[in-house]
Amino acid sequence: MANIKSQIKRIRTNNKAQARNKGERSSIKTAIRHFRDALASGDTSKINVELVAASKKLDEAVSKGVLHSNNAANKKSAMAKAANAAGKR
């Protein structure tokens, strides 16, 4: 444990940010899981709705600093590619 007052405060703020980021990452994973479930069902309208929802979650995470922009772009690209492949069946 730190002895310096400013470092103690810094540890507290880091823990709060970590808790916020953990919740955000969890909601991203849930949105991606919903997209994959829609992909497995094969319903193209549901796939498109879930793709938009997951993409929005990823964009929000980037703006909040939870994810790096390239990481979110790679995830969105992979989902769009899978959605296009499912639509062409």
Side-chain angles (χ1 to χ4, degrees), residues 58-59 61-63 65-79:
L58 288 167
D59 288 336
V62 169
S63 69
V66 177
L67 286 181
H68 191 274
S69 59
N70 289 353
N71 186 336
N74 287 338
K75 289 180 188 297
K76 285 168 47 176
S77 174
M79 287 191 304

Side-chain angles (χ1 to χ4, degrees), residues 1 6 9 12 30 32 34 44 49 53 60 64 69 79 87:
M1 185 66 187
S6 63
K9 182 178 178 181
R12 272 199 320 263
T30 302
I32 292 173
H34 287 314
T44 54
V49 168
E60 287 173 0
K64 291 178 181 180
S69 59
M79 287 191 304

Side-chain angles (χ1 to χ4, degrees), residues 47-59:
I47 290 171
N48 291 334
V49 168
E50 295 299 337
L51 175 63
V52 169
S55 295
K56 187 174 179 184
K57 280 282 186 191
L58 288 167
D59 288 336

Side-chain angles (χ1 to χ4, degrees), residues 2-44:
N3 293 325
I4 300 167
K5 190 174 183 180
S6 63
Q7 191 58 39
I8 292 170
K9 182 178 178 181
R10 195 74 193 129
I11 289 169
R12 272 199 320 263
T13 58
N14 285 342
N15 288 340
K16 287 178 188 176
Q18 184 181 14
R20 269 196 309 270
N21 290 344
K22 189 174 184 179
E24 191 68 28
R25 280 192 299 267
S26 176
S27 67
I28 292 166
K29 288 178 187 177
T30 302
I32 292 173
R33 191 176 325 112
H34 287 314
F35 169 75
R36 289 190 181 139
D37 291 343
L39 204 59
S41 73
D43 182 12
T44 54

